Structures are given as structure tokens and as C-alpha cells.
Amino acid sequence: MTRAYGLKAILKALIVSYIVTGILLFGIAFSMYKLGLKEQTINLMVTFVYLFATGVGGILIGKNMKHRKFLWGFLLGFIYVVIIFAASFIATGGMTAILSNGLGTLLLCAGGGMLGGMLS
């Protein structure tokens, strides 16, 4: 297996993960608008979105890679959250949001990707 194949598989799984994230976050925003959900409920839903999206990405990358699927899934979840942190830093111009939820989000996304890789 070449490095280019691994990079291509990661990019493909990341794109699918972000598409799933976008669709689910749109659904949350619509629900928030129509139902007036509480902040605690929204936070729980966003946590589910992160876990589900990285799990889907982990399954995809696990199906493409034949060995060490859980490590590939972990890597996918790690890269997923690093990109989210970078986007957050660029959008807000600071580290406040990253520092407040960073470690938990990192562990959640990396764990979701790893779980998806193991389930593939």
C-alpha cells in the first residue's frame, strides 16, 4: 500500500465526515429555529454529531485499509478535530473556544474514528 493511497483514503473519509457533519448541523440549526431547543440539548446533539461523523469516517477508512484499521480511524478523528480547531482559530481569532473544549473534543473525535475503524 502506497502513501498516496493512504492519503487519498484519509481525504475521502474526511470529506464524507465533513459532509455528514454539515448535514447534521444543518438539521440541528433547523430544529433549534423551529423548536427553540435549550443550550444543553444542543451541546449534546453536537457531541453526537462529532461522534457519528468521525465514526462514519472511521468505517470508510477502515474498509479501505486492510491493517491497523483502528489506528487509521484514530488518525482520521485526530485530523478531523485539528481541522475544526484551525477553522475555529481562524474564525474567532483566538484560542478561547479551543482551550475550553479542546481535550474532550479531541478524545471524542479520535475515539469515534477509532471505533469506526474497529467496526469496519
Side-chain angles (χ1 to χ4, degrees), residues 32 43 48 55 64 72 83 86 95 106 109-110 115-116:
M32 193 170 94
N43 288 340
F48 171 77
N64 284 319
W72 283 104
I83 292 171
M95 298 279 292
L106 176 67
C109 292
L115 179 64

Side-chain angles (χ1 to χ4, degrees), residues 82-95 98:
V82 166
I83 292 171
I84 288 177
F85 287 166
S88 176
F89 179 76
I90 290 168
T92 63
M95 298 279 292
I98 297 168

Side-chain angles (χ1 to χ4, degrees), residues 25 28 31-32 43-44 58 61 74 77 87 89 92 111:
L25 288 179
I28 290 172
S31 298
M32 193 170 94
N43 288 340
L44 183 63
I61 199 159
F74 178 86
F89 179 76
T92 63

